[in-house]
Amino acid sequence: MILRSLFESDRIDLEKGGIYVDVGAHHPKRFSNTFFFYELGWNGINIDPNEGSERLFTESRPRDKTIEIALSEKPGIQKFFTYDEPALNSLNNRDTELADTPYVSSGAKMVQVSTLKDILSQFFKDSIPQPNFLDIDVEGHELEVLKGNDWDKFRFSYILIEQKLQSLASNANSSLTNYLEELGYKPLAHSRLSAIFKHFP
C-alpha cells in the first residue's frame, strides 16, 4: 500500500498496468508484495528456488512468468538451506539466527543459481518497460542479488527489499543502502519489514 501511494504521487495510473520482478517470490498470495498489482492487471517475473513454486505461480497467476531458480552475484550451484517454514529458506545458513525461535531446519540441498541480469536478459532487450518495480525477499542474501544485476541496462523505478529494521534511520548506514545509493537510489519509506527505495536519475 505504501508503494501504491508512491506510484500515485508520481501520477502513475496503476490500472494501466506495469511490470514487477519478484525475487524470492515464495507464494502467489501469501506474504506477497506483488499480488495486489497482479490483481490490478500488472504482470511480471517471479523467481524462487523452492520446489513446486513454478507450478504454484503458473496455476494462480498465469499472466506471470515464473522461474524456479535461486539468484546470487554469480551463476553456479550453491547449497540451499531449508526450514519447516519455507518463507525462511535461503542460500544463507540461518541455523544460528533461528536457534531461539520455533522454526527448525529441514535440511539443505544443492540448487541451480543464476543472476538477476541473466534472467532479465531473457525477457527484456535493452530496458524494463515503465512503470516497474523490483521486490527482493531472500532472507539475508539481498545484496548478492543486487550485485548480480546490470544496472546500466536494467533500472527499476522502485526497489522493495526486506530489511527488518525499525526505521529509515537505523537502515541508513547498512551496506545494502550504501550500495543502492551509489546507483542513484534513495530510501523513501519503511514498513518495519521492507525498505522502499526510489531511483533518482
Side-chain angles (χ1 to χ4, degrees):
M1 295 305 99
I2 296 172
L3 181 60
R4 177 189 69 175
S5 178
L6 291 172
F7 273 125
E8 289 174 346
S9 69
D10 292 337
R11 300 182 179 180
I12 299 296
D13 185 349
L14 298 178
E15 294 187 358
K16 289 185 177 180
I19 299 292
Y20 49 75
V21 176
D22 195 347
V23 183
H26 173 59
H27 190 276
K29 299 178 182 179
R30 183 178 187 245
F31 303 147
S32 177
N33 287 330
T34 57
F35 178 63
F36 170 80
F37 291 88
Y38 183 86
E39 291 272 273
L40 285 178
W42 290 45
N43 65 280
I45 305 168
N46 306 301
I47 304 162
D48 196 290
N50 282 315
E51 186 175 351
S53 60
E54 184 174 354
R55 175 190 55 78
L56 189 63
F57 273 90
T58 299
E59 292 174 352
S60 298
R61 288 161 55 169
R63 293 197 315 273
D64 285 353
K65 302 294 184 182
T66 302
I67 305 172
E68 200 168 296
I69 199 168
L71 296 189
S72 191
E73 187 174 357
K74 297 177 181 179
I77 303 291
Q78 290 192 40
K79 185 176 287 188
F80 184 62
F81 299 89
T82 60
Y83 300 87
D84 59 351
E85 165 52 80
L88 301 174
N89 295 352
S90 177
L91 291 176
N92 292 359
N93 187 335
R94 307 185 69 200
D95 291 356
T96 300
E97 176 189 354
L98 298 172
D100 295 325
T101 75
Y103 306 111
V104 296
S105 171
S106 59
K109 60 181 181 179
M110 305 307 292
V111 297
Q112 186 72 38
V113 177
S114 186
T115 63
L116 184 56
K117 66 180 179 183
D118 287 345
I119 297 297
L120 295 178
S121 295
Q122 296 178 31
F123 298 95
F124 308 108
K125 183 178 179 181
D126 296 315
S127 62
I128 304 170
Q130 297 284 343
N132 64 55
F133 71 92
L134 171 66
D135 182 62
I136 307 178
D137 182 356
V138 288
E139 305 303 315
H141 207 72
E142 289 79 11
L143 183 57
E144 289 82 356
V145 171
L146 291 170
K147 288 182 176 180
N149 191 28
D150 181 348
W151 293 100
D152 292 328
K153 189 174 184 180
F154 300 119
R155 289 273 179 174
F156 295 88
S157 299
Y158 288 94
I159 300 177
L160 284 71
I161 301 186
E162 183 184 48
Q163 288 190 299
K164 294 175 182 176
L165 303 171
Q166 298 303 309
S167 67
L168 286 173
S170 63
N171 185 35
N173 293 318
S174 72
S175 56
L176 191 151
T177 297
N178 291 336
Y179 180 81
L180 285 174
E181 287 187 335
E182 290 177 0
L183 295 171
Y185 288 87
K186 299 292 184 183
L188 289 191
H190 201 284
S191 70
R192 300 177 73 92
L193 289 176
S194 297
I196 302 178
F197 295 80
K198 181 179 181 178
H199 183 244
F200 290 90

